[in-house]
Amino acid sequence: MHGGTMGTTQIISQLTDVASYDPTVLTIGFFDGVHRGHQQLIRKMVDFASQEGARAVLVTFWPHPRNILRPEEPIHLLTTREEKLELLAGLGCLDTVLVMPFTSELAQLTPQAYLEVLNKYFKLQV
């Protein structure tokens, strides 16, 4: 689903596919199941982005970080990658969903270094 869209939500799988450097509000997480708690968090983020005149972008990962960090302890997921993306796009409020490959290299980044990487592609509103 590289560079595709679902409804009005752009789905991308590489940072280099980010279309513009517009002001952006991000939420970051795995979002397995896209349950009510996730939906409430996403709507709050979208409302904040709207107030700021910014894009609402959700960053998620595939595979699950635990599968990389502790492969001996496989995790049972509620949704497949495709199901999760359909649920996120179905909310109808996100501008972009970025599915970042979770790798051991990514896991080595400090939170600050990770935000610096994201800020190269998104003009983060904090």
Side-chain angles (χ1 to χ4, degrees):
M1 195 157 314
H2 172 75
T5 60
M6 287 185 164
T8 59
T9 301
Q10 177 190 34
I11 308 292
I12 60 176
S13 57
Q14 295 181 50
L15 279 168
T16 53
D17 290 340
V18 174
S20 66
Y21 193 68
D22 294 332
T24 302
V25 175
L26 292 179
T27 187
I28 303 169
F30 194 75
F31 298 101
D32 187 30
V34 192
H35 57 66
R36 288 184 190 162
H38 292 143
Q39 292 173 33
Q40 184 176 11
L41 173 72
I42 291 165
R43 286 195 180 94
K44 285 185 179 201
M45 184 271 297
V46 168
D47 288 347
F48 180 73
S50 180
Q51 290 169 13
E52 296 293 312
R55 294 171 47 223
V57 177
L58 182 141
V59 178
T60 188
F61 306 98
W62 199 266
H64 192 284
R66 194 164 97 188
N67 289 347
I68 300 300
L69 300 173
R70 295 195 306 262
E72 70 283 359
E73 299 175 29
I75 187 167
H76 175 74
L77 299 176
L78 300 173
T79 52
T80 66
R81 178 182 182 273
E82 291 72 24
E83 289 167 339
K84 176 170 59 171
L85 293 176
E86 286 177 21
L87 289 168
L88 290 168
L91 296 175
C93 57
L94 291 163
D95 295 307
T96 303
V97 172
L98 167 61
V99 183
M100 290 190 77
F102 194 89
T103 62
S104 54
E105 293 80 14
L106 182 63
Q108 298 299 314
L109 294 177
T110 65
Q112 182 65 33
Y114 179 61
L115 286 176
E116 288 172 12
V117 168
L118 291 175
N119 204 39
K120 290 179 186 175
Y121 297 91
F122 299 106
K123 185 177 179 184
L124 300 180
Q125 300 296 104
V126 291

